[in-house]
Amino acid sequence: SQTIHQWPATLVQPVGSPLSLECTVEGTSNPNLYWYRQAAGRGLQLLFYSVGIGQISSEVPQNLSASRPQDRQFILSSKKLLLSDSGFYLCAWSVLMGYGYTFGSGTRLTVV
Amino acid sequence: GNSVTQMEGPVTLSEEAFLTINCTYTATGYPSLFWYVQYPGEGLQLLLKATKADDKGSNKGFEATYRKETTSFHLEKGSVQVSDSAVYFCALSYEGNYQLIWGAGTKLIIKP
């Protein structure tokens, strides 16, 4: 069966520090991968999606970036965090576009 | 453009009460419709889905029917439990399209 792993679960980082969140999928090949952010008490914002290795599409201009170095690995990064980067970050995957996603358990990031 | 509108929360009910969370959408053609649930501190889980008009999705006692004529996909449950307390998201997507269009989420609080 397919599983998705996301870590760390919680993270507290100072302003200006770098960020690296990792997401891996098991049990499938060539998944579509997504990074979402959920601000406190708000809905979901799509940040990046990827349809293959090295292929990244950005939905929102910001100081975050994403990379897909391997088929089932998706990394969210920042060189310098801002206070506004605080939120709940969710990784997700899908086999076929348009048929819904499976989400990871999320990372709660607090920038202080 | 495409959009999803959910009833505002929080919705507060007593245990064993009947639940309805309204969801309406604006979209062209025939999107697929989804309900996701997010328990406190966790990622999102797909609760149920429907891919064509008049389909009924069901899971864990929850049901929703894809109503093309009223462009709705209301979530219902006959008897809620405290463990159903969560945030519920309605969403739509199209086959072959990477993006899910999300509602803002409805927080459900069930009191014993």
Side-chain angles (χ1 to χ4, degrees):
Chain A
S1 63
Q2 300 94 354
T3 56
I4 179 169
H5 303 281
Q6 190 179 340
W7 68 93
T10 60
L11 192 59
V12 180
Q13 291 284 96
V15 168
S17 64
L19 172 73
S20 180
L21 302 181
E22 190 162 343
C23 172
T24 59
V25 179
E26 296 178 357
T28 188
S29 296
N30 197 31
N32 300 305
L33 297 171
Y34 312 85
W35 278 111
Y36 275 88
R37 177 169 58 201
Q38 185 179 29
R42 301 181 66 179
L44 294 158
Q45 180 185 37
L46 179 63
L47 301 175
F48 301 95
Y49 72 95
S50 171
V51 299
I53 296 174
Q55 301 179 60
I56 309 295
S57 297
S58 173
E59 287 295 298
V60 182
Q62 58 211 324
N63 70 321
L64 298 172
S65 62
S67 62
R68 185 170 177 173
Q70 301 180 40
D71 181 43
R72 291 168 290 175
Q73 183 184 30
F74 204 25
I75 298 172
L76 182 69
S77 304
S78 174
K79 292 181 179 178
K80 289 185 177 181
L81 284 169
L82 306 173
L83 286 174
S84 57
D85 291 324
S86 294
F88 193 49
Y89 288 82
L90 291 158
C91 181
W93 74 276
S94 67
V95 173
L96 297 173
M97 290 185 173
Y99 286 94
Y101 302 163
T102 299
F103 283 86
S105 54
T107 296
R108 186 162 303 283
L109 172 67
T110 304
V111 182
V112 296
Chain B
N2 301 324
S3 65
V4 175
T5 302
Q6 290 180 236
M7 63 190 296
E8 283 193 30
V11 173
T12 304
L13 296 172
S14 296
E15 205 166 19
E16 299 184 1
F18 185 87
L19 168 71
T20 299
I21 299 178
N22 290 338
C23 171
T24 57
Y25 67 91
T26 302
T28 56
Y30 299 91
S32 295
L33 300 173
F34 306 87
W35 276 103
Y36 283 84
V37 58
Q38 184 178 31
Y39 298 105
E42 298 184 11
L44 277 73
Q45 302 175 28
L46 179 63
L47 182 59
L48 53 84
K49 67 179 181 182
T51 57
K52 60 183 187 293
D54 299 325
D55 267 2
K56 177 186 284 187
S58 61
N59 186 23
K60 299 181 180 179
F62 290 89
E63 293 184 340
T65 301
Y66 188 159
R67 301 287 189 197
K68 182 74 174 171
E69 64 277 11
T70 54
T71 62
S72 65
F73 193 53
H74 304 323
L75 183 68
E76 297 180 334
K77 186 174 185 181
S79 177
V80 293
Q81 306 300 314
V82 172
S83 57
D84 293 326
S85 298
V87 180
Y88 292 81
F89 291 91
C90 185
L92 70 83
S93 70
Y94 289 92
E95 181 180 349
N97 190 307
Y98 68 90
Q99 191 171 21
L100 257 68
I101 309 298
W102 295 90
T106 302
K107 185 173 184 177
L108 174 65
I109 300 170
I110 306 300
K111 295 187 174 181

